[in-house]
Amino acid sequence: MKLTVNGTAHEVDVEDDMPLLWVLRDELNIKGVKYGCGVAQCGACTVHIDGEAVRSCQTAAADVWGEVTTIEGLGTPDAMHAVQQAWVDHQVAQCGYCQSGQMMQAAALLAENPAPTDTDIDIAMNGNLCRCGTYNRIRAAVKTAATKLQEA
Amino acid sequence: MSRIGKIARRTFLVGSAAVVGGVAFGYYAYKRPPANPLLTDLDEGEAALTPYVKIDNSGITLITPRADSGQGAYHVQAALIAEELDVELDQVTVDPGMPDPAYYNTALSAEAAPFRSTDDGFAANSTRGIMDAMMKFLGMQITGGSTTVPDSFEKLRLAGAVARETLKAAAAKKTGADIADLTTEKGAVILPGGGTLAYTELAATAATMDPVNDVTLRDPSTWRLVGKEMERVDIVAKSTGTQAYGIDFEIDGMVHASVRTSPCRGMMNGFDAEAARQMRGVIDIVQVKDGVAAVADNTWRAIQAVNAIDVDWGPAAYPSEQAEHWQALSDSFNADQQDSQFRDDGDVEAALDGAEAITAEYRAPYLAHAPLEPISAVVQVTDDRVDVWTGTQIPRFVQTNVAKLTGLDTDQVFVHVLMMGGSFGHRLEDRVVREATEIAMQMKGTPVKLTYSREEDTIQNDTRQIAMARGRGAVKDGKVDAYDLGIAMPSVVASQMGRQGLPTPGPDLQIVAGAWEQPMQIPNYRVTGYRAPELAPISSWRSVGASTNGFFHDVFLDELIHAAGADPMEERLRLCWHDPSHKTLEAVAEMSNWGSDPGPNKGRGVAFCMSFGVPTAEVVEVTNQNGAIRIDKVWVAVEVGRVIDPVNFDNMVQGGIVWALGHAMNSEITIADGMAEQRNYFDFEGMRLSQAPDIFVKGLENGDTVRGMGEPMVPPAAAALSNAIFAATGQRIRKMPMNRHIDFV
Ligand code: FES
Ligand code: FES
């Protein structure tokens, strides 16, 4: 089947029900997307499909309906997305393992809602678990990114 | 110290108990520093100045032997070296290096010896010295017990200074300049005329010279990096998805495996893998100790296949129902099972005699570590070499255990430590490496990556101990007069070290840690530890014994203070005799504006605990929202001697509060049918972002010792929460998880 990830078209030969998460990680070697729970409980596997934040562990390969963007496609160390830059400025990460998913979730939120309230942030980010407990910094970074994006 | 050295050699060298004998022997035999591991592994043109710095013509590498599970350990270690070496953090590569006895962990022994952290007497310090020697002897390169910072603080700066001075000497030799006229900056020696010589250009010359050991550490007032806000060395990688973790590691020809071992931690009677063998991508089904593994061409297929195997498990190796575990603890409060009574001030029995006794019982459940990255390891076994790539806090044990399994020598086992997506103590165990090795031995030459599913990671977790405490106390004239706390739990140390084949004679300090050593002057004050029998396998969980005991000790104190009619803050301040601890209480009172009216339906609770030598005071403020508790704010004041990096410090303390409160609210592992009932984050949730309070942190620098901050914020947090709920609702919660007794928003 065909998959477009971060602007590149790929042909993959996998079972229809293989989760997108594992197609990305093991078939395409795109490792920024993380496995945390496999059952839509942690958000570590969050990617965008046509700009919408989805849990790639719960998205079967055959059901992918559009272009996939992973954290690598959001921005790079040399050209960071405003969300990534805000994550650096606030030094959000501890172990960092959840943060790809957090940033993908935040980027989708801000694309849809450029000036989220605290409640908007709580609702949008609540499915993204951080076992290291960086929530205070995540909140602050989302706000900083919102401001930056609005200025741009 | 020379005197204790003599005693050690004469008395303990022969025939004492294992730890004492080992201690003394180790002390003697390891007075010389272990060999520099880098000297045996150097390419031509490379000069190894100390085990912590490596320089060649392509760059500068700082070796950071304490593993990084997210606490910023690589960053902190690199900053300490860079401070004295005069390099910028963006100029260097950070490498955890190969495991070697030279990297023994000195600070851990301070926690292992039974003296209070506030005790600086002769006996305390000399015992710490002996324990330190034991650490060297065992080559315990472990990361735990909040030891990264204390262990590194002098050692790494010294390493940087020795390297710097040696490079200057090399520059002097090369140019004929007088060493006194040389300075250093940004990885280069500055020559008198203003010219520069990069360290990398000096490496070859420095290699031919004796290191300059006669160095003085710089005065803290001149520090460029330490104590200042820095950008963490890994922050860009971790903000762009480019940080590789253990689970991301790939090597050519690698196959993927997933495993299921007995959920009852017992034996496997047999299995039927017919269906699994037919599944797409499955390469093999192999047996491991007490379980079975599927090997496939990707991770998902391996997990699918192993779950398709029909397995017949043997019975549990411990009582099969949770109630029996609690019963075992309840039955342990007796003289025969008394493990320790390090605290016995005044006369508790006399004070309680005739007084109106206040009694209470407390419980803390089993808890999983559940770091977000499931455990994994890549192992390749050949006839004369094994390579292991994994995120571990115990690389030396891994090396030994893999050598034992494969029958090779330890120096044929190469452990490559990878970045960890959290640990909280989880990666102080090494079962994933042992199992990966068992699989790889059956597929010689092929690198095998073993990845646990989240479900397997949860069910096989060596959990936090369960614990129970019973308090009896009395008050007099508005003051706490008698405090008697008994704590029962199985020995974490015995369970954990037992899996490493290490004996642990004597009392287990962890049974009373976080309780017996509190700097409180209660006239009649006793803390007794009772050792429950070994139950389910348990291991170190962020703050270990203090994670349960900090809760017990402080909530009971709070109950007595309320019974006395005293103010919770004032009475703690009155009781606390230790100046740096007192200051944490003063600070947190000021930060939280203690004494002011919190507003309708709100309550504040304070708690204090000293653990790992770190006094920590916390105030939690909650709102009772129509019968459900919302945690609004937390204030933390913590005495760490010196804050190395204020940003990293603030982040870690906040994270530890979220960790502690989240588990206290809603998490437990319970046993039914001999196995953990929980499987994933839906039944082991912790705190979510919408529940996270605002957390305000203050690091105090009044003590004289540098302490690590990975754990001490944990023990007081649940107590402060319980005390706050009491203040807001009048309901006293003595058992965790608290959501069994009250709702949370
Ligand atoms: S791995 Fe997909 S939500 Fe956890
Ligand atoms: S930073 Fe470790 S899980 Fe979020």
Side-chain angles (χ1 to χ4, degrees), chain B residues 60-78:
Chain B
I60 302 166
T61 306
L62 307 186
I63 317 288
T64 55
R66 299 278 86 76
D68 198 325
S69 54
Q71 76 280 52
Y74 291 161
H75 169 71
V76 163
Q77 295 173 89

Side-chain angles (χ1 to χ4, degrees), chain A residues 92-99 102 129-134, chain B residues 372 421-422:
Chain A
V92 174
Q94 286 186 37
C95 84
Y97 194 77
C98 71
Q99 302 296 351
Q102 305 277 7
L129 200 58
C130 176
R131 292 291 288 164
C132 298
T134 62
Chain B
L372 200 57

Side-chain angles (χ1 to χ4, degrees), chain A residues 15 26 34 91 94-95 135, chain B residues 230 245 248 299 301 687:
Chain A
E15 298 87 324
D26 282 7
K34 300 299 185 207
Q91 304 219 43
Q94 286 186 37
C95 84
Y135 297 132
Chain B
M230 291 174 264
Y245 297 84
D248 300 325
T299 314
R301 291 182 183 130
M687 189 178 275

Side-chain angles (χ1 to χ4, degrees), chain A residues 1 3 11 25 33 37 40 51 57-58 85 93 96 99 108 148 152:
Chain A
M1 63 187 77
L3 271 186
E11 178 71 41
R25 283 186 56 83
V33 53
C37 70
C57 71
Q58 291 300 297
Q85 185 62 56
Q99 302 296 351
K148 283 270 163 58

Side-chain angles (χ1 to χ4, degrees), chain B residues 50 127 154 176 302-303 332 334 337 369 484 488 600 606 630 699 705:
Chain B
T50 75
T127 304
E154 293 215 327
I303 293 174
S332 300
N334 62 67
Q337 285 173 261
H369 302 83
D484 185 21
V606 56
R630 184 184 165 86
T705 316

